[in-house]
Amino acid sequence: MSSPNSRQSWLPLFVLAVGVSMVVIDATIVNVAVPAMIDDLGLTVTDVEWVNSLYLLVFASLLIPLGRIGDQRGRPQLFATGIVVFLVASLLAAIAGSGAMLIGARGIQGVGAAMAMPMTLAIINSTYFGRQRVIGFAIWGSIVGGMAAIGPLVGGWLVTDYGWRAAFWINLPIGALVLLGALRIPASREDRATGHDPLGIALIVLGMFSIVFGLIEGQKYGWLTPLRAAELFGLRFEEVSPVPFAFGIGILAVAAFILLERRRERAGRPVLIDLTLFTLPGFRYGAIAAMIVALGEFGVILVLPLFLQSALGHSAFTAGLIIATLAVGTFLAGGVVPVLTRKVNSRTVVQIGLALEVVGAVGIGLSLEADMSVWRIVPWMLVYGFGIGFATAQLTSVLMADVPARQAGQASGLQSAIRQVGAGLGVAVLGGVLVTGLGSSVEKNMASYPEQVRTSVANAVQESGGAAIPGLSDPAVHAAAVAGATEATRRVPVITGLVLLAGLGFTFLLPRTAAPTRNGEDADGDEDGENDSDGAGTPEPDSGGRHQEV
């Protein structure tokens, strides 16, 4: 690899950063465009749900098998293919004339995203070494953590000035530049091709799809099946929630997948996932911490836009601007991380980041008031963003530290899938806290009203997630609903802080890593970190994909 100070050596990182930005933003940008889509295409409520859900379902389901395929067939090639698929789907979405075509295009986008996303991390892991890998992971983590907050702001601008189709058209020129840059990404693959595992692919896709479906759709269909033995034969199909069945199928499929992989491994046959990855302490505990962190990190992004618009009456653009301050903190942290890792080890950086996230989340929750200035929470958002920038980047670094370069694709896909499950769990749990709290808090604040009025308003606010509040014409009822929404919303960031505190606890199980010394040297005296145990010091693989002996 060329010198890290040369412009060419950083070009792959820039290309990967732009590619992952496009994928991450597209996961959130559509939320802002939904009202315009409904008006233009006549979408139903079910259509709207699937426009969002299908992208996430397909994306999460294919991360693991496509990560493995990238290891075998070539990571830059799969990354470029994923970008092409993503662009074709963006074109189809931009010209969609019906809800069915738009939903189908979003599903195809999920396929492209699942091809490209794990390859970005795998390429960074196999291309950069020593200090350069620290910088690469810092940039990757800042983008993943920050772009989700940028999406609503960009979406609000595009939809307001150019219409909802612009949210998809904008991907075409950006993606074309990424494809040109992808030609300069160095080759990266596992030369020892291990064949195929079609049954393993089928089981893990079924398992991930079912579990993520259950997490996403639990609020809509209900978490439990309203089934009693006495009603078994008289029960109408529409009364049965599919969520418990989805969880059951998903758990069985994942269990069958693990048994299959173990049996194939003992027999010396190709496997989709090398389960020995979980024998690496950094990967094992890092994956658990990553899932908990993903669960918690969605808390603030989930509830604040609803509260700012519905309860406080701000525009979508203003709400997006406030959420974007989180991204500012994240990007600033990305510049600090490489400097900080010269002083302390990666595990400590993760712990500092999670501690900042806990402080920021709790600070946001305690600051929420019905009559507050919208800028009151900005300092806490910056603290929260700084924490994400520290934690996400270096948690990935620690998690991937001891993973051999030949397994980078499958490890990247696996950790990304684990994060998606954590994010889905966060939406389900924290969304449930918000919805339940809206109903009870609004009803409590309307204690002086007749029961029928109280129940009617509470149900309307609860079922709409707070969106019904601006439509309440009675000033007293409106004030009571805003007060109730404030109480309900305040709980979510505080609970988020507690969840992140649990994630912080898990980081103490991560292996300690050496802190580099001055002048770019590591604590053991190596300039490039070849003897380190952290992500900054994984030995560079030889041409056959095996690590050189140190």
Side-chain angles (χ1 to χ4, degrees):
M1 180 179 159
S2 59
S3 167
N5 294 321
S6 71
R7 183 175 303 173
Q8 181 179 355
S9 69
W10 292 116
L11 180 60
L13 182 60
F14 175 77
V15 172
L16 297 172
V18 176
V20 77
S21 297
M22 187 171 62
V23 170
V24 173
I25 284 182
D26 220 74
T28 57
I29 196 173
V30 175
N31 293 334
V32 181
V34 163
M37 292 177 181
I38 293 174
D39 292 339
D40 188 21
L41 300 179
L43 302 182
T44 65
V45 174
T46 301
D47 291 336
V48 169
E49 290 174 346
W50 278 106
V51 166
N52 287 319
S53 298
L54 191 60
Y55 177 85
L56 296 174
L57 283 169
V58 173
F59 177 51
S61 302
L62 297 179
L63 280 168
I64 293 175
L66 289 176
R68 186 59 177 146
I69 289 172
D71 281 341
Q72 297 174 327
R73 302 294 177 86
R75 295 163 188 139
Q77 293 91 328
L78 189 64
F79 171 76
T81 302
I83 295 297
V84 170
V85 172
F86 195 86
L87 294 183
V88 170
S90 296
L91 175 61
L92 293 175
I95 64 175
S98 66
M101 183 175 179
L102 180 60
I103 292 169
R106 289 288 284 169
I108 298 172
Q109 273 193 320
V111 176
M115 289 180 174
M117 184 73 166
M119 293 304 98
T120 60
L121 187 55
I123 292 170
I124 291 172
N125 194 57
S126 61
T127 301
Y128 296 98
F129 305 92
R131 301 299 307 166
Q132 291 72 56
R133 183 178 291 166
V134 173
I135 296 172
F137 280 138
I139 292 174
W140 188 92
S142 296
I143 289 171
V144 172
M147 285 300 173
I150 291 291
L153 179 62
V154 175
W157 165 61
L158 288 174
V159 173
T160 301
D161 291 351
Y162 303 102
W164 68 266
R165 297 180 189 273
F168 298 105
W169 283 121
I170 196 173
N171 290 334
L172 301 184
I174 296 174
L177 292 175
V178 171
L179 286 176
L180 287 175
L183 298 175
R184 304 297 299 275
I185 297 177
S188 173
R189 61 174 291 179
E190 177 187 349
D191 291 335
R192 295 174 292 180
T194 56
H196 303 284
D197 183 8
L199 181 56
I201 291 176
L203 286 173
I204 197 62
V205 169
L206 175 62
M208 289 300 301
F209 186 94
S210 300
I211 290 172
V212 176
F213 172 86
L215 292 172
I216 292 175
E217 301 296 333
Q219 288 296 329
K220 175 185 175 183
Y221 294 109
W223 296 102
L224 298 175
T225 303
L227 185 63
R228 292 195 295 269
E231 301 172 343
L232 180 61
F233 297 103
L235 189 68
R236 296 194 307 273
F237 177 77
E238 59 267 24
E239 293 177 335
V240 180
S241 169
V243 171
F245 298 104
F247 280 131
I249 292 170
I251 292 170
L252 289 175
V254 170
F257 170 78
I258 293 173
L259 293 175
L260 174 69
E261 298 301 283
R262 286 179 173 173
R263 188 177 67 184
R264 291 177 68 92
E265 187 176 7
R266 286 194 297 266
R269 301 177 64 190
V271 295
L272 183 62
I273 294 178
D274 186 351
L275 296 176
T276 59
L277 284 171
F278 288 100
T279 65
L280 304 174
F283 188 86
R284 179 171 68 248
Y285 296 121
I288 296 172
M291 184 170 68
I292 295 175
V293 168
L295 189 160
E297 285 180 351
F298 268 75
V300 171
I301 297 177
L302 175 68
V303 303
L304 276 186
L306 290 171
F307 177 73
L308 293 173
Q309 294 178 73
S310 300
L312 299 189
H314 294 286
S315 67
F317 182 79
T318 300
L321 195 61
I322 297 302
I323 301 301
T325 59
L326 183 152
V328 172
T330 301
F331 295 140
L332 290 175
V336 175
V337 165
V339 178
L340 186 59
T341 53
R342 293 180 182 273
K343 306 295 183 182
V344 298
N345 60 61
S346 295
R347 190 183 82 167
T348 302
V349 176
V350 173
Q351 292 167 340
I352 293 172
L354 284 173
L356 289 173
E357 285 191 57
V358 171
V359 172
V362 174
I364 291 168
L366 297 180
S367 298
L368 297 181
E369 299 289 348
D371 57 350
M372 73 176 199
S373 165
V374 72
W375 304 107
R376 180 177 180 177
I377 60 174
V378 166
W380 298 114
M381 293 290 288
L382 288 171
V383 171
Y384 191 76
F386 252 97
I388 291 177
F390 282 1
T392 301
Q394 289 308 293
L395 183 55
T396 301
S397 177
V398 173
L399 190 149
M400 297 289 289
D402 297 324
V403 175
R406 63 185 176 85
Q407 296 176 300
Q410 60 174 307
S412 176
L414 183 56
Q415 72 92 28
S416 295
I418 290 171
R419 287 179 186 268
Q420 287 298 312
V421 171
L425 192 59
V427 171
V429 173
L430 298 173
V433 169
L434 175 65
V435 171
T436 303
L438 281 172
S440 60
S441 297
V442 170
E443 193 162 0
K444 184 186 73 174
N445 279 275
M446 294 181 63
S448 61
Y449 284 80
E451 182 178 357
Q452 184 176 0
V453 175
R454 188 170 66 240
T455 302
S456 175
V457 173
N459 288 341
V461 173
Q462 179 176 349
E463 291 173 4
S464 68
I469 294 176
L472 299 174
S473 56
D474 187 307
V477 172
H478 181 272
V482 170
T486 303
E487 291 178 16
T489 304
R490 187 185 294 128
R491 297 171 189 167
V492 177
V494 173
I495 293 175
T496 295
L498 296 177
V499 171
L500 292 170
L501 191 61
L504 176 60
F506 262 98
T507 63
F508 287 94
L509 298 174
L510 293 170
R512 290 185 177 274
T513 53
T517 60
R518 63 185 182 278
N519 299 326
E521 294 184 355
D522 299 301
D524 61 4
D526 294 333
E527 184 176 353
D528 59 0
E530 288 185 350
N531 290 333
D532 285 350
S533 61
D534 72 333
T538 304
E540 184 167 356
D542 62 21
S543 59
R546 299 172 177 85
H547 288 314
Q548 298 173 356
E549 293 296 325
V550 179

Short mmCIF file of all heavy atoms in Angstrom, two decimals, residues 452-490:
data_model
loop_
_atom_site.label_atom_id
_atom_site.label_comp_id
_atom_site.label_asym_id
_atom_site.label_seq_id
_atom_site.Cartn_x
_atom_site.Cartn_y
_atom_site.Cartn_z
N GLN A 452 -65.24 9.97 28.65
CA GLN A 452 -65.35 9.73 27.22
C GLN A 452 -64.43 10.66 26.43
O GLN A 452 -63.73 10.23 25.51
CB GLN A 452 -66.80 9.91 26.76
CG GLN A 452 -67.01 9.57 25.29
CD GLN A 452 -68.48 9.68 24.90
OE1 GLN A 452 -69.33 10.00 25.72
NE2 GLN A 452 -68.77 9.41 23.64
N VAL A 453 -64.41 11.95 26.82
CA VAL A 453 -63.54 12.92 26.14
C VAL A 453 -62.08 12.58 26.41
O VAL A 453 -61.23 12.60 25.50
CB VAL A 453 -63.86 14.35 26.62
CG1 VAL A 453 -62.87 15.34 26.01
CG2 VAL A 453 -65.29 14.72 26.26
N ARG A 454 -61.79 12.29 27.65
CA ARG A 454 -60.42 11.98 28.06
C ARG A 454 -59.88 10.77 27.29
O ARG A 454 -58.77 10.80 26.74
CB ARG A 454 -60.41 11.71 29.57
CG ARG A 454 -59.02 11.55 30.15
CD ARG A 454 -59.09 11.53 31.67
NE ARG A 454 -59.79 10.35 32.17
CZ ARG A 454 -60.89 10.37 32.91
NH1 ARG A 454 -61.45 11.54 33.21
NH2 ARG A 454 -61.45 9.26 33.35
N THR A 455 -60.68 9.73 27.23
CA THR A 455 -60.26 8.51 26.55
C THR A 455 -60.11 8.73 25.05
O THR A 455 -59.17 8.24 24.42
CB THR A 455 -61.27 7.37 26.81
OG1 THR A 455 -61.38 7.17 28.21
CG2 THR A 455 -60.83 6.09 26.13
N SER A 456 -61.05 9.49 24.46
CA SER A 456 -61.01 9.75 23.02
C SER A 456 -59.75 10.50 22.62
O SER A 456 -59.06 10.13 21.66
CB SER A 456 -62.25 10.54 22.61
OG SER A 456 -62.18 10.89 21.25
N VAL A 457 -59.41 11.55 23.36
CA VAL A 457 -58.22 12.33 23.04
C VAL A 457 -56.96 11.51 23.27
O VAL A 457 -56.03 11.52 22.44
CB VAL A 457 -58.19 13.62 23.89
CG1 VAL A 457 -56.86 14.36 23.70
CG2 VAL A 457 -59.35 14.53 23.52
N ALA A 458 -56.90 10.78 24.38
CA ALA A 458 -55.72 9.97 24.69
C ALA A 458 -55.48 8.92 23.61
O ALA A 458 -54.34 8.71 23.18
CB ALA A 458 -55.88 9.30 26.06
N ASN A 459 -56.55 8.27 23.15
CA ASN A 459 -56.41 7.26 22.10
C ASN A 459 -55.93 7.88 20.79
O ASN A 459 -55.09 7.30 20.08
CB ASN A 459 -57.74 6.54 21.88
CG ASN A 459 -58.09 5.60 23.02
OD1 ASN A 459 -57.20 5.21 23.80
ND2 ASN A 459 -59.36 5.22 23.13
N ALA A 460 -56.48 9.06 20.45
CA ALA A 460 -56.09 9.72 19.20
C ALA A 460 -54.61 10.09 19.23
O ALA A 460 -53.88 9.88 18.24
CB ALA A 460 -56.94 10.96 18.98
N VAL A 461 -54.16 10.63 20.35
CA VAL A 461 -52.75 11.02 20.47
C VAL A 461 -51.85 9.79 20.46
O VAL A 461 -50.80 9.76 19.80
CB VAL A 461 -52.53 11.84 21.75
CG1 VAL A 461 -51.03 12.09 21.98
CG2 VAL A 461 -53.27 13.16 21.66
N GLN A 462 -52.26 8.75 21.17
CA GLN A 462 -51.46 7.54 21.26
C GLN A 462 -51.33 6.85 19.90
O GLN A 462 -50.24 6.48 19.48
CB GLN A 462 -52.07 6.57 22.27
CG GLN A 462 -51.31 5.26 22.41
CD GLN A 462 -51.90 4.38 23.51
OE1 GLN A 462 -52.73 4.81 24.28
NE2 GLN A 462 -51.45 3.14 23.57
N GLU A 463 -52.45 6.68 19.21
CA GLU A 463 -52.43 5.96 17.94
C GLU A 463 -51.69 6.71 16.85
O GLU A 463 -51.17 6.10 15.91
CB GLU A 463 -53.87 5.68 17.50
CG GLU A 463 -54.58 4.66 18.39
CD GLU A 463 -56.05 4.52 18.05
OE1 GLU A 463 -56.49 5.18 17.06
OE2 GLU A 463 -56.76 3.78 18.74
N SER A 464 -51.63 8.04 16.94
CA SER A 464 -50.94 8.83 15.93
C SER A 464 -49.48 9.11 16.29
O SER A 464 -48.76 9.74 15.51
CB SER A 464 -51.66 10.17 15.73
OG SER A 464 -51.55 10.98 16.89
N GLY A 465 -49.06 8.65 17.47
CA GLY A 465 -47.70 8.95 17.92
C GLY A 465 -47.51 10.41 18.26
O GLY A 465 -46.37 10.90 18.29
N GLY A 466 -48.59 11.12 18.51
CA GLY A 466 -48.53 12.54 18.85
C GLY A 466 -48.91 13.45 17.69
O GLY A 466 -49.11 14.66 17.88
N ALA A 467 -49.03 12.90 16.47
CA ALA A 467 -49.31 13.72 15.30
C ALA A 467 -50.70 14.36 15.36
O ALA A 467 -50.96 15.33 14.64
CB ALA A 467 -49.19 12.88 14.03
N ALA A 468 -51.60 13.84 16.20
CA ALA A 468 -52.95 14.40 16.30
C ALA A 468 -53.01 15.66 17.15
O ALA A 468 -54.02 16.36 17.15
CB ALA A 468 -53.91 13.34 16.88
N ILE A 469 -51.95 15.98 17.88
CA ILE A 469 -51.98 17.12 18.80
C ILE A 469 -52.26 18.45 18.10
O ILE A 469 -53.09 19.24 18.57
CB ILE A 469 -50.68 17.19 19.62
CG1 ILE A 469 -50.58 15.97 20.55
CG2 ILE A 469 -50.60 18.47 20.44
CD1 ILE A 469 -49.29 15.88 21.34
N PRO A 470 -51.59 18.78 16.98
CA PRO A 470 -51.87 20.08 16.35
C PRO A 470 -53.32 20.26 15.92
O PRO A 470 -53.79 21.39 15.79
CB PRO A 470 -50.94 20.07 15.12
CG PRO A 470 -49.84 19.14 15.48
CD PRO A 470 -50.49 18.07 16.29
N GLY A 471 -54.04 19.16 15.71
CA GLY A 471 -55.43 19.25 15.28
C GLY A 471 -56.43 19.44 16.40
O GLY A 471 -57.64 19.56 16.15
N LEU A 472 -55.98 19.48 17.65
CA LEU A 472 -56.89 19.68 18.79
C LEU A 472 -57.22 21.16 18.91
O LEU A 472 -56.36 21.98 19.23
CB LEU A 472 -56.23 19.16 20.08
CG LEU A 472 -55.87 17.66 20.09
CD1 LEU A 472 -55.10 17.30 21.35
CD2 LEU A 472 -57.12 16.81 19.96
N SER A 473 -58.47 21.51 18.66
CA SER A 473 -58.86 22.93 18.58
C SER A 473 -59.07 23.58 19.95
O SER A 473 -58.84 24.78 20.10
CB SER A 473 -60.13 23.07 17.74
OG SER A 473 -61.18 22.27 18.28
N ASP A 474 -59.53 22.82 20.94
CA ASP A 474 -59.75 23.39 22.27
C ASP A 474 -58.41 23.70 22.93
O ASP A 474 -57.58 22.80 23.12
CB ASP A 474 -60.53 22.37 23.12
CG ASP A 474 -60.95 22.95 24.47
OD1 ASP A 474 -60.08 23.47 25.18
OD2 ASP A 474 -62.15 22.88 24.78
N PRO A 475 -58.15 24.96 23.28
CA PRO A 475 -56.83 25.32 23.84
C PRO A 475 -56.47 24.54 25.10
O PRO A 475 -55.31 24.15 25.27
CB PRO A 475 -56.99 26.82 24.16
CG PRO A 475 -58.07 27.29 23.23
CD PRO A 475 -59.02 26.14 23.10
N ALA A 476 -57.45 24.30 25.97
CA ALA A 476 -57.16 23.58 27.21
C ALA A 476 -56.82 22.12 26.92
O ALA A 476 -55.90 21.56 27.52
CB ALA A 476 -58.36 23.67 28.16
N VAL A 477 -57.57 21.52 26.01
CA VAL A 477 -57.29 20.12 25.63
C VAL A 477 -55.93 20.03 24.95
O VAL A 477 -55.14 19.11 25.22
CB VAL A 477 -58.40 19.59 24.69
CG1 VAL A 477 -58.01 18.21 24.15
CG2 VAL A 477 -59.72 19.51 25.44
N HIS A 478 -55.64 21.02 24.10
CA HIS A 478 -54.34 21.03 23.41
C HIS A 478 -53.20 21.15 24.43
O HIS A 478 -52.19 20.42 24.33
CB HIS A 478 -54.30 22.20 22.43
CG HIS A 478 -53.02 22.30 21.65
ND1 HIS A 478 -51.92 22.99 22.11
CD2 HIS A 478 -52.66 21.77 20.45
CE1 HIS A 478 -50.94 22.89 21.24
NE2 HIS A 478 -51.37 22.16 20.21
N ALA A 479 -53.36 22.03 25.40
CA ALA A 479 -52.32 22.21 26.42
C ALA A 479 -52.12 20.94 27.24
O ALA A 479 -50.99 20.57 27.57
CB ALA A 479 -52.68 23.38 27.33
N ALA A 480 -53.22 20.27 27.57
CA ALA A 480 -53.12 19.02 28.33
C ALA A 480 -52.42 17.95 27.51
O ALA A 480 -51.61 17.17 28.04
CB ALA A 480 -54.52 18.55 28.74
N ALA A 481 -52.72 17.89 26.20
CA ALA A 481 -52.08 16.90 25.33
C ALA A 481 -50.58 17.18 25.19
O ALA A 481 -49.76 16.25 25.20
CB ALA A 481 -52.75 16.89 23.97
N VAL A 482 -50.22 18.45 25.06
CA VAL A 482 -48.80 18.81 24.96
C VAL A 482 -48.06 18.44 26.24
O VAL A 482 -46.95 17.90 26.20
CB VAL A 482 -48.65 20.32 24.66
CG1 VAL A 482 -47.19 20.75 24.81
CG2 VAL A 482 -49.15 20.64 23.27
N ALA A 483 -48.68 18.71 27.38
CA ALA A 483 -48.05 18.34 28.66
C ALA A 483 -47.87 16.84 28.77
O ALA A 483 -46.82 16.35 29.23
CB ALA A 483 -48.91 18.86 29.82
N GLY A 484 -48.88 16.08 28.34
CA GLY A 484 -48.77 14.62 28.37
C GLY A 484 -47.69 14.12 27.43
O GLY A 484 -46.93 13.20 27.76
N ALA A 485 -47.63 14.70 26.22
CA ALA A 485 -46.60 14.29 25.26
C ALA A 485 -45.21 14.61 25.77
O ALA A 485 -44.26 13.84 25.54
CB ALA A 485 -46.85 14.99 23.92
N THR A 486 -45.08 15.72 26.49
CA THR A 486 -43.78 16.08 27.06
C THR A 486 -43.33 15.05 28.09
O THR A 486 -42.17 14.61 28.09
CB THR A 486 -43.85 17.48 27.70
OG1 THR A 486 -44.28 18.43 26.73
CG2 THR A 486 -42.49 17.88 28.24
N GLU A 487 -44.24 14.66 28.95
CA GLU A 487 -43.91 13.66 29.97
C GLU A 487 -43.52 12.34 29.31
O GLU A 487 -42.55 11.68 29.71
CB GLU A 487 -45.11 13.45 30.90
CG GLU A 487 -45.42 14.63 31.79
CD GLU A 487 -46.64 14.38 32.66
OE1 GLU A 487 -47.05 13.20 32.76
OE2 GLU A 487 -47.20 15.33 33.22
N ALA A 488 -44.29 11.91 28.31
CA ALA A 488 -44.03 10.63 27.65
C ALA A 488 -42.70 10.66 26.90
O ALA A 488 -41.92 9.70 26.95
CB ALA A 488 -45.17 10.30 26.70
N THR A 489 -42.43 11.77 26.22
CA THR A 489 -41.20 11.88 25.44
C THR A 489 -39.99 11.93 26.35
O THR A 489 -38.93 11.37 26.03
CB THR A 489 -41.25 13.13 24.55
OG1 THR A 489 -42.42 13.08 23.73
CG2 THR A 489 -40.03 13.21 23.66
N ARG A 490 -40.12 12.61 27.48
CA ARG A 490 -39.00 12.75 28.41
C ARG A 490 -38.49 11.39 28.88
O ARG A 490 -37.29 11.22 29.12
CB ARG A 490 -39.43 13.60 29.61
CG ARG A 490 -38.30 13.96 30.55
CD ARG A 490 -38.81 14.70 31.77
NE ARG A 490 -39.36 16.00 31.40
CZ ARG A 490 -40.57 16.42 31.75
NH1 ARG A 490 -41.37 15.63 32.47
NH2 ARG A 490 -40.99 17.61 31.40
#
